[in-house]
Amino acid sequence: MISVEIDGHRFQVRAAAVVEHDNHILLHRAESDSFWALPGGQVEPSENAQATLVREMIEELDEPIVCGELLYLVENFFDYLNKPNHEIGLYFRAQLHSHSALLDKSRTHNGTEAGTSLEFRWFPRVSLRDVDLRPAFLRESLSLPTLNFQHVVQRG
């Protein structure tokens, strides 16, 4: 994974999937976290970000996805577990296959990553402003009727 410690900061490159279906957005969180995020993971050396998303969804949920265009380029500065982080995020539009069991919005879907339990859940786009979703700009951006490319610098 592309993640290094530099001067007390963690620097990483992350790819994330914006999966929309029937005006809902798929979010996930680690069992130990109180906040939600877009599904995805850290890019590996010599791996392109779209390939990262395909790999991560198979590893975490055994679900293939199809990646589309880049929606957000995010410079994200935040603290996690009392450590400052600087993350470059590449967020792509993505689709599940039409027969995917993950399209069932009536329940929570469980996954795992490196021994950590993950919870995947669909949220109506209109309710995202009320969700503890990180990075925070996503609460507004994903609520808009049309998703367009943005370069975002998010602090905090």
Side-chain angles (χ1 to χ4, degrees):
M1 71 186 94
I2 301 175
S3 178
V4 296
E5 299 290 326
I6 303 171
D7 294 331
H9 288 74
R10 179 177 175 203
F11 174 80
Q12 64 184 353
V13 179
R14 182 173 191 269
V18 178
V19 183
E20 180 187 12
H21 188 261
D22 291 337
N23 274 327
H24 287 69
I25 300 289
L26 182 66
L27 302 179
H28 88 305
R29 67 179 174 186
E31 189 177 71
S32 59
D33 289 336
S34 61
F35 63 90
W36 295 89
L38 292 171
Q42 293 177 344
V43 177
E44 297 285 345
S46 78
E47 178 181 58
N48 72 60
Q50 289 176 315
T52 297
L53 291 177
V54 172
R55 174 182 54 77
E56 288 285 343
M57 291 298 283
I58 289 172
E59 287 176 3
E60 294 173 3
L61 286 165
D62 197 26
E63 285 283 344
I65 61 168
V66 176
C67 288
E69 76 273 15
L70 181 66
L71 284 174
Y72 306 116
L73 171 60
V74 183
E75 297 177 67
N76 193 13
F77 300 88
F78 60 98
D79 286 340
Y80 183 68
L81 300 176
N82 297 315
K83 182 171 211 66
N85 283 257
H86 178 174
E87 177 179 270
I88 302 299
L90 303 163
Y91 298 7
F92 294 88
R93 187 183 308 270
Q95 290 184 321
L96 296 162
H97 292 281
S98 60
H99 60 276
S100 172
L102 199 57
L103 292 173
D104 180 357
K105 294 171 190 59
S106 68
R107 66 182 188 91
T108 297
H109 302 271
N110 298 311
T112 59
E113 179 180 31
T116 300
S117 294
L118 301 174
E119 177 182 7
F120 291 77
R121 191 183 308 164
W122 292 94
F123 289 83
R125 287 175 69 176
V126 297
S127 73
L128 290 176
R129 289 181 179 97
D130 301 322
V131 174
D132 186 1
L133 173 58
R134 298 184 191 171
F137 86 93
L138 290 169
R139 293 179 203 141
E140 179 69 28
S141 291
L142 293 175
S143 297
L144 298 174
T146 304
L147 304 180
N148 294 308
F149 177 80
Q150 293 180 48
H151 169 225
V152 177
V153 177
Q154 176 75 59
R155 292 193 180 270

